[in-house]
Amino acid sequence: MTVLRILVADDLSEEGLEILRRDAEVEVRNGMSEDELRDTLPGFHALIVRSATTVTGPSLENADVLSVIGRAGIGVDNIDVEAASVRGIVVMNTPEAGAVTTGELAIALMMSLARNIPAADASMKAGRWEKNKLLGTELRGQTLGVLGLGRIGRVVADRGRGLKMKVIAHDPFVDADRAPEGVRMVTFDELLRDSDFLSVHVPLTDETRGLIGPDELAKMKSSARIMNGARGGIVNEEALCDALEAGDIAGAALDVFDREPLPDDNRLRLTKNLVLTPHLGASTREAKRNVSLDMARQVITCLKKGVALNGINVPRVPPSQADRVAPFLTLARNLASFLMQVYPGRLRSLRLTLQGKLLLSAKEPLRVAMLAGALGCRADRPVTPVNADRVAEEMGVRHHVETSTLKRDFVNLLRIETLLDDERHFVSGTVLGHRHGRMVELDHFLMDAIPEGPLLVTFHHDEPGVIGRIASLVGSEGLNISRLQLGVPDNGHTSAGALGLLNLSSPIPPEAIEKVLADPGIIAAHSVRL
Ligand code: 3PG
């Protein structure tokens, strides 16, 4: 079995590392440059980073077996997700674990601004007593504007309400009727105009870069204060310094910067009424631990079960269903791959039919799992659920999913139908006891086979002695048969021969396949590796 290797390139808590070490060889190497990362990645199946390591396209160039990049944290702007996706690499983050901590920092920054705490502290340390100069403002009744109502924005809105503030929010992806209780959704201009404290909680994207620049700052009250704990680049730093120096706004607090670490001589360091912290958003003991634990578990689940929880470039598996869906993902991939390995021909189309509530909740993940399984056998590069759609498009393979009642005896059943040149074939499967994948149908044959590992698949005449001879031949090759299934034709196909599926200890070599084919009872034989 392959030994899993994981490269941890930023700070991860010891508890997280322990989880990884139970299933993989772990190497911790902080502070790598792009070149160092590129030279180190070969041979690693997973890479885990926080925000300090930048994962660029060139750094992934030699990543021969990398299948997942885990961002232990929320923001993935330090990862070239597009470059990872082209290579079929899953990118995942931990959106929940640091949300409260990061939201709390925004509140701490707001408090600092309202009561001049950093300035008061610096003044005291400098030997002064400036009580009158450091007059603050009460939060109660003031308007807190939340820009971006995702997980963190919602924490901030909730804490703002606890402080008896009026909370307004702007988020183009949240309808007014989906706003949290007590939060009024407003336009971006209204948010700028009405906020006494404006807290930024949007990701950095092409659309949000420079979202708060000179024009936006000019629309704010001169008494307003801004907090940015999201990402550098969303608030234009030069425009912010200008606005603070001109008194166009009253104060600001930044935890994130265009360039991190913030250069020594940066203008921000000299600007008054500006509180600076060194990207402390997720830096609490609790968040660090939770982020590390979540990421370690997610990476292991992805490597071992193929389920990408919180994958941002793959269809989402509902976390509550992940354990039950995982074996079906493996099944979809394996059954599709099985069809491609047994039947020749140009792959023209794939149809996935799903039966059962559980499978309907995971239509998209199952579709891409099927695509990855099938295309992986025909494409000239690795295909995973991440790049399966692209590869299908490039290869001109049509595909779709439908739901239907296939067989009433099964609660959950999936069926894959394919068109190879002009021949149609199909295979169906289910999962027993929430864990054990079974192939139950291949064209007109019915069976109860395990579609895993190396297999010998035979189509043979349904007559005495054939299976005995095949089994002896396999044995004489030094291969152990762990399970043998015979597929019988279903009603109406009485003269269609028989199907043999032998699970083997290791793949049957081509010479042995030749010997099997030489047996007069054999119609066709294939080595299948799942
Ligand atoms: C995040 O995106 O999770 C925060 O910005 C924290 O980043 P960090 O993991 O580098 O502390």
Side-chain angles (χ1 to χ4, degrees), residues 281-293:
S283 294
T284 60
R285 260 196 310 278
E286 296 79 1
K288 195 172 166 195
R289 178 174 179 274
N290 293 338
V291 156
S292 300
L293 289 177

Side-chain angles (χ1 to χ4, degrees), residues 286-523:
E286 296 79 1
K288 195 172 166 195
R289 178 174 179 274
N290 293 338
V291 156
S292 300
L293 289 177
D294 279 7
M295 185 42 69
R297 291 186 188 122
Q298 287 176 205
V299 164
I300 294 296
T301 305
C302 190
L303 290 176
K304 290 182 68 178
K305 297 187 179 171
V307 180
L309 287 174
N310 297 318
I312 60 162
N313 56 353
V314 275
R316 190 171 173 275
V317 177
S320 59
Q321 309 278 36
D323 282 346
R324 294 188 61 205
V325 169
F328 278 100
L329 296 177
T330 308
L331 184 71
R333 194 177 56 227
N334 283 352
L335 292 185
S337 173
F338 184 95
L339 282 177
M340 298 303 123
Q341 293 184 59
V342 167
Y343 298 113
R346 188 175 79 79
L347 173 58
R348 294 173 56 191
S349 70
L350 287 156
R351 175 164 55 195
L352 177 64
T353 309
L354 302 174
Q355 164 180 319
K357 237 180 166 168
L358 176 71
L359 302 194
L360 299 195
S361 73
K363 262 190 197 173
E364 274 300 284
L366 287 164
R367 183 184 63 78
V368 290
M370 166 192 75
L371 279 184
L375 298 169
C377 299
R378 293 288 196 270
D380 55 0
R381 61 187 147 127
V383 187
T384 74
V386 178
N387 61 357
D389 274 313
R390 289 170 202 253
V391 177
E393 200 180 327
E394 281 164 27
M395 292 174 63
V397 176
R398 296 190 309 276
H399 51 92
H400 80 277
V401 186
E402 58 188 39
T403 57
S404 169
T405 305
L406 295 161
K407 286 181 185 291
R408 297 202 181 277
D409 316 351
F410 294 89
V411 178
N412 294 297
L413 188 75
L414 61 82
R415 171 173 151 141
I416 299 170
E417 194 177 330
T418 184
L419 185 60
L420 293 158
D421 288 333
D422 292 325
E423 262 188 46
R424 275 186 200 286
H425 294 282
F426 71 88
V427 62
S428 308
T430 191
V431 170
L432 303 183
H434 303 320
R435 269 194 297 155
H436 310 287
R438 290 287 188 275
M439 181 195 293
V440 296
E441 200 175 22
L442 177 68
D443 293 336
H444 49 267
F445 295 106
L446 301 179
M447 72 207 72
D448 171 21
I450 300 180
E452 283 164 29
L455 290 157
L456 166 63
V457 179
T458 59
F459 293 93
H460 53 266
H461 298 298
D462 192 12
E463 58 192 30
V466 182
I467 282 295
R469 293 199 299 275
I470 298 170
S472 314
L473 201 148
V474 168
S476 68
E477 292 292 321
L479 300 171
N480 196 36
I481 300 171
S482 58
R483 189 180 160 103
L484 188 153
Q485 261 292 307
L486 295 179
V488 291
D490 65 1
N491 292 343
H493 290 90
T494 43
S495 61
L499 172 74
L501 285 132
L502 290 76
N503 293 86
L504 304 177
S505 52
S506 50
I508 183 158
E511 321 78 75
I513 287 281
E514 290 305 318
K515 289 182 195 165
V516 174
L517 283 168
D519 188 289
I522 293 289
I523 302 163

Side-chain angles (χ1 to χ4, degrees), residues 57-89:
S59 68
L60 296 174
E61 260 165 26
N62 300 338
D64 52 351
V65 291
L66 191 71
S67 63
V68 53
I69 300 174
R71 159 66 164 112
I74 298 170
V76 290
D77 45 297
N78 55 321
I79 299 169
D80 187 336
V81 179
E82 177 61 20
S85 302
V86 169
R87 294 176 162 271
I89 300 168

